[in-house]
């Protein structure tokens, strides 16, 4: 079982937050070239939810999370549309368990990256440097999108 460590997440945040805008854009392009279908899946959520803020946050966290996997030295296969489609049914069932029973067990078992999920929950619930919090709708949408992405990346780990 390959779990992304808290240290790798912190190192990824430090790296991403320390990049210039140009360097960050170049890194995003590099990640997008390797995981084009995954990034398309993540960005589609902003369109479907009609939430432009979601896309901005999604790109930022996409970059941190992919970087954390790389810092952890986890080799990832390229995620394609078939992988995304195969993941959707169990993911939606896990979300149903949360909605019906407030039971996160199925989601945690499916995603199998407790440190990354904890990181995202903390990020979503915290205030930014200006004391602003995300709107509840954006919090929920961001949690769903990032949980899906983390689960897909976890399933792409090459042993």
């Amino acid at each position: 079982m390959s779990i992304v460590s808290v240290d790798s997440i912190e190192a990824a945040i430090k790296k991403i937050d320390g990049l210039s805008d140009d360097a960050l854009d170049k890194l995003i392009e590099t990640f997008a070239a390797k995981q084009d279908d995954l990034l398309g899946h993540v960005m589609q959520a902003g369109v479907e939810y009609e939430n432009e803020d979601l896309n901005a946050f999604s790109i930022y966290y996409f970059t941190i999370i992919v970087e954390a996997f790389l810092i952890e030295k986890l080799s990832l296969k390229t995620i394609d549309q078939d992988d995304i489609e195969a993941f959707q049914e169990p993911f939606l069932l896990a979300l149903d368990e949360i909605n019906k029973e407030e039971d996160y067990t199925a989601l945690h078992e499916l995603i199998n990256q407790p440190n990354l999920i904890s990181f995202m929950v903390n990020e979503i619930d915290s205030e930014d440097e200006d004391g602003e919090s995300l709107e509840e709708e954006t919090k929920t949408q961001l949690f769903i999108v990032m949980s899906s992405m983390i689960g897909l990346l976890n399933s792409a780990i090459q042993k």
Side-chain angles (χ1 to χ4, degrees), residues 15-16 18-30 63:
K15 177 180 177 177
I16 301 305
L19 293 175
S20 68
D21 288 345
D22 288 341
L24 181 58
D25 288 343
K26 190 170 188 153
L27 184 63
I28 292 168
E29 287 175 22
T30 301
T63 309

Side-chain angles (χ1 to χ4, degrees), residues 3-16 63-74 115-116 119:
I3 304 286
V4 175
S5 69
V6 172
D7 288 343
S8 293
I9 297 167
E10 290 172 353
I13 295 166
K14 184 176 181 179
K15 177 180 177 177
I16 301 305
T63 309
I64 288 175
I65 291 167
V66 171
E67 184 65 29
F69 273 90
L70 296 176
I71 290 171
E72 194 70 35
K73 298 189 183 342
L74 297 173
N115 296 328
L116 285 169
F119 161 69

Side-chain angles (χ1 to χ4, degrees), residues 4-14 16-17 57-69 108 113-126 134 142-143 146-147 149-150:
V4 175
S5 69
V6 172
D7 288 343
S8 293
I9 297 167
E10 290 172 353
I13 295 166
K14 184 176 181 179
I16 301 305
D17 287 351
F57 290 116
S58 294
I59 288 283
Y60 175 71
Y61 290 114
F62 169 83
T63 309
I64 288 175
I65 291 167
V66 171
E67 184 65 29
F69 273 90
H108 289 296
Q113 286 293 337
N115 296 328
L116 285 169
I117 291 296
S118 292
F119 161 69
M120 284 309 309
V121 167
N122 289 335
E123 286 289 302
I124 289 167
D125 285 339
S126 66
L134 295 175
L142 188 59
F143 178 78
M146 292 296 101
S147 295
M149 188 190 80
I150 293 166

